[in-house]
Amino acid sequence: MNLIVETRSTFQWVLQILGRFLRVVPGTTLALVVYLTAARITRLLAFLLPLKVILLAGSNGVPHYFRPFLANDQKQLGIAILSAAAIAFYAITLFLEGHTKRLSDRAGADLMSAAGVMSLVDNQRAEMQGIYARFMQIVSGTLFVMVSMGMLAVLDPLLAAYLSAFGMIFYLLTAWALKGVTPLKRNWLGDFIDKQLPNYLSILSSVAFLSGFLVVLRPFLQEAGANVLVAIICFMLLRQMTATATGAIRDMVALAQKRHLADTLVMPDRQFHPLEGEDQRALRQLFGRQERDQLIADALAELRQPDQTLSVGWLDPPLRGMAEFSIVLQGSGGQVRHLRQRVFPPRLRRMLENEDLLFRHVAREAVRAAPVMARFMHGEHECIVYDAGTGVAPKGAALAESHRDFITALWCAELPPALLRIYSASHKPMHERLSEDLVARMDIAVDTDADSEMLHRFGDALPSIRKLIADLPLRLSNPGFIPAEIVLDADGAVRVLGGWGQWSLLPLGAGLPASLTNAEKLAALLAEVRRRRPGMLADDIGSGHVMLVANCVQLERTILNGKMKAGLALAARVLEGFESLRDASTAGKAVPEARKQGTAA
């Protein structure tokens, strides 16, 4: 990044936008600049005059720096006048700020009407008003800083010269830190400026203020006839200038980040179109064809045999912002090894942290997760290379069979108490999420008496449904079983590449695929789980319990998505399943009781 070029370009853009404002709403724009600048000055005076009152009141007689304005016997009069002036200036400040808000809103509405564009963003009128207000703040802030520097040049030329040199030096330092910065060529100062600009500006503002304060104190330290009143004025100007300059820079950067939208809303000859995101731009720079081939070759140097050729190809990733590459290592004898590399930008790092947490407690092999062959950083992106088996995903009946095997592995996985404790500390359990408040959201979709009666029955049964769900064991769930996320091993076993960053622990039955929702397949699935993990499931847990949980998970998701009519249909299905379980349980208890009565007779 070339800060000097960017600064020049931004200033030219700001002047173009201001020119448009002056053409469309000239009177309002000029009035706003005057009002905002005046408000800054009156606010400064409103806080400066009380200090003068304190100085005057705490002095014996009238200090020498007040004598050009007050006689020796006018001390009380001076206190009264300065106090009244402070209050008046503060009232004027409030009036000006309130008036500028009304003017800004009106001018933004006029600009919006003059632009004649379609609605491009939410709250577009408010967006336009915000853009206009920020531009006015930048202009008024710049004028205030210039006026203040002029006053400092008169009152304390050394302080004015110091602040000018300070600003220039740190501007050049910032330009040097950002020069030539790319996703691979970075430095700590450039990263700090780029990612924490408000903090960086605050530090510079504090350094400028504190060091400038020492310059203000210079005459007192040198005993060179210091003027207390001038020092106070310089101190207040210094504080207001640094805060105003920092705010103007922040506003300018914020507007520059919205430049494309601002151009469309303000300039009639510029149209809106989506721009490439920073993540995608960084991916292109870091993982272009030549760069990625060399990068992967270096990363796989220990895995790759001398006679193996390397072939790398782009794959459309399952998650936006992520990159994925297929890697094929082919030996001279025709042996082929398939790998997959996935690239995660910083904003997706949370998913990797969740995946790492899971696999610190559960073995990857136990849940059919693809083995990790290499892991490394490239720029700010984290790269993981997985063993992709045959590189082919199952299809048709094989896909359904693979999904059944995967669900079986998840349900049979051993979940350590530590993992259960960590998850429960971060997530509310499902039986608590299925609350009365959640169910009440479906009231709006009730159109008939039948719907009302069903929802009332569902509410009555809800405590029992929640208790039933709470009594079921928690099992691991992964929502990422889709063709783009799975491959087959040479022995036909499925390996799952992704979705592990979105894992959850849910009651038995959550995440059940549609291919396993009939009673026969569910019974076979539960029998297989009992065979692999004897004693994990109680004898009375059957297909009805699993389907109840699956429907409850779908009900919760449907309500959260705002599909209340579909939610009512699911609630009826959940209620039907619960009543069937309740009737079966009642019948099961009645048989032994009848046998006892028959024996007694």
Side-chain angles (χ1 to χ4, degrees), residues 255 288 301 407 427:
L255 285 173
I407 295 294
H427 298 80

Side-chain angles (χ1 to χ4, degrees), residues 137-398:
Q137 291 286 354
I138 291 171
V139 175
S140 69
T142 303
L143 288 177
F144 177 80
V145 170
M146 292 172 63
V147 171
S148 299
M149 284 295 291
M151 294 181 63
L152 287 180
V154 174
L155 297 173
D156 193 341
L158 182 60
L159 177 60
Y162 170 76
L163 291 177
S164 299
F166 180 93
M168 181 58 65
I169 289 171
F170 274 92
Y171 175 79
L172 295 176
L173 174 66
T174 304
W176 170 80
L178 296 176
K179 184 179 181 180
V181 170
T182 66
L184 276 181
K185 184 183 177 184
R186 313 184 69 89
N187 59 75
W188 69 269
L189 182 56
D191 284 344
F192 182 68
I193 296 170
D194 181 46
K195 299 185 181 304
Q196 301 186 53
L197 179 62
N199 291 340
Y200 177 71
L201 292 175
S202 296
I203 291 172
L204 291 187
S205 176
S206 300
V207 172
F209 171 70
L210 294 174
S211 58
F213 177 62
L214 295 178
V215 178
V216 172
L217 289 179
R218 181 194 77 264
F220 298 92
L221 299 176
Q222 295 176 346
E223 298 182 0
N227 188 310
V228 175
L229 183 60
V230 170
I232 290 176
I233 294 173
C234 291
F235 174 82
M236 293 298 294
L237 284 173
L238 175 63
R239 186 72 191 105
Q240 292 296 318
M241 280 177 55
T242 53
T244 301
T246 300
I249 294 172
R250 286 175 178 167
D251 283 341
M252 191 171 293
V253 172
L255 285 173
Q257 293 172 343
K258 291 184 175 182
R259 181 170 180 170
H260 190 52
L261 176 61
D263 279 347
T264 304
L265 296 180
V266 176
M267 309 298 287
D269 59 338
R270 299 177 188 176
Q271 292 78 38
F272 181 82
H273 65 276
L275 297 177
E276 183 181 28
E278 290 186 9
D279 281 358
Q280 194 62 36
R281 190 180 307 114
L283 278 175
R284 287 197 297 105
Q285 294 175 355
L286 290 172
F287 298 94
R289 182 178 178 183
Q290 295 180 351
E291 290 81 2
R292 69 184 182 228
D293 287 355
Q294 185 59 49
L295 176 69
I296 293 173
D298 294 341
L300 300 181
E302 297 182 2
L303 296 175
R304 185 180 173 189
Q305 300 299 322
D307 64 332
Q308 286 181 323
T309 59
L310 175 69
S311 175
V312 180
W314 168 270
L315 295 174
D316 290 335
L319 288 177
R320 184 180 180 184
M322 188 177 76
E324 184 169 4
F325 303 99
S326 67
I327 304 171
V328 179
L329 299 176
Q330 186 162 5
S332 56
Q335 307 91 341
V336 177
R337 185 174 187 181
H338 294 273
L339 304 170
R340 292 275 184 90
Q341 175 179 317
R342 290 190 164 181
V343 179
F344 297 86
R347 70 176 183 85
L348 294 179
R349 194 159 293 157
R350 175 183 62 87
M351 297 180 62
L352 288 180
E353 293 171 354
N354 288 338
E355 181 175 335
D356 292 340
L357 170 64
L358 173 65
F359 292 122
R360 282 197 298 269
H361 296 86
V362 177
R364 299 185 73 94
E365 297 79 7
V367 291
R368 305 291 178 86
V372 174
M373 309 308 297
R375 185 167 181 170
F376 56 93
M377 296 293 298
H378 187 52
E380 291 189 319
H381 293 65
E382 191 156 2
C383 307
I384 302 181
V385 179
Y386 300 94
D387 187 340
T390 61
V392 177
K395 298 179 181 179

Side-chain angles (χ1 to χ4, degrees), residues 450-465:
D451 288 343
S452 179
E453 189 270 338
M454 184 279 299
L455 194 57
H456 181 73
R457 287 170 50 219
F458 185 87
D460 291 341
L462 186 60
S464 299
I465 294 174

